[in-house]
Amino acid sequence: AGDALAELDQDNEAMFANDVAAILAEAGRGDEALRRVEQNLHRFPDDLWTQIHAGDVHLALSDRSRAEQAFRDALAMARAHGDASGIADANERLVRLLAGEPGREQEANAAAQVGVRVEAPRVPAPASRRAASSPLPRLRGLGAPSRR
């Protein structure tokens, strides 16, 4: 379904492709989800949300190390583009991941403080990027992430 939607709405192709990976992970189809994540990263190398959702999928599949790397890569990408909202979103996920790991609380607190310093007033994301249509909040352990 996500692939069909991407063909119909090419302006949101990356979003639909990311949703397919998340749905596969949620359905317990980890190998397929990981293949889709790799495809998405190859197809949309400059899309911040593709990188963030790669981390979400890895986290849903209990690969905290790869999730952390994906969130750090997304954070670097957002910083390189001066995207304050992207910095805040990637950092929020990184902080949440670090805070959930015993012994990394100080690192999480430091990352949270950096996020507070760089966060600018948020501009609402286009409707196509909002969480209402996303399967991501249902993924294990992710809570209700923002999706801008």
Side-chain angles (χ1 to χ4, degrees):
D3 292 328
L5 289 170
E7 285 183 36
L8 294 173
D9 185 0
Q10 293 186 351
D11 290 340
N12 293 303
E13 185 178 8
M15 181 187 71
F16 292 124
N18 294 330
D19 285 349
V20 169
I23 290 166
L24 289 168
E26 184 179 76
R29 295 165 60 179
D31 290 340
E32 291 174 83
L34 292 174
R35 277 194 299 277
R36 180 53 73 118
V37 163
E38 292 307 315
Q39 289 172 358
N40 293 348
L41 290 170
H42 180 74
R43 286 176 62 200
F44 311 107
D46 298 323
D47 185 80
L48 174 67
W49 280 99
T50 296
Q51 190 66 51
I52 290 174
H53 291 315
D56 291 339
V57 169
H58 289 302
L59 188 57
L61 297 174
S62 301
D63 189 341
R64 297 180 74 80
S65 176
R66 288 181 75 187
E68 179 180 347
Q69 188 58 55
F71 295 146
R72 289 187 185 281
D73 291 346
L75 192 54
M77 182 184 293
R79 284 183 175 141
H81 290 99
D83 180 350
S85 179
I87 292 169
D89 289 324
N91 199 59
E92 172 188 338
R93 282 171 164 82
L94 179 61
V95 167
R96 202 171 12 181
L97 181 141
L98 294 172
E101 292 188 16
R104 297 188 80 184
E105 295 86 3
Q106 283 186 320
E107 190 177 352
N109 288 335
Q113 291 305 310
V114 169
V116 168
R117 285 195 303 270
V118 298
E119 189 167 342
R122 290 179 175 250
V123 175
S128 63
R129 292 270 183 158
R130 294 196 183 121
S133 64
S134 172
L136 290 172
R138 293 188 306 268
L139 290 173
R140 290 179 281 130
L142 291 181
S146 63
R147 184 155 187 240
R148 287 174 184 76

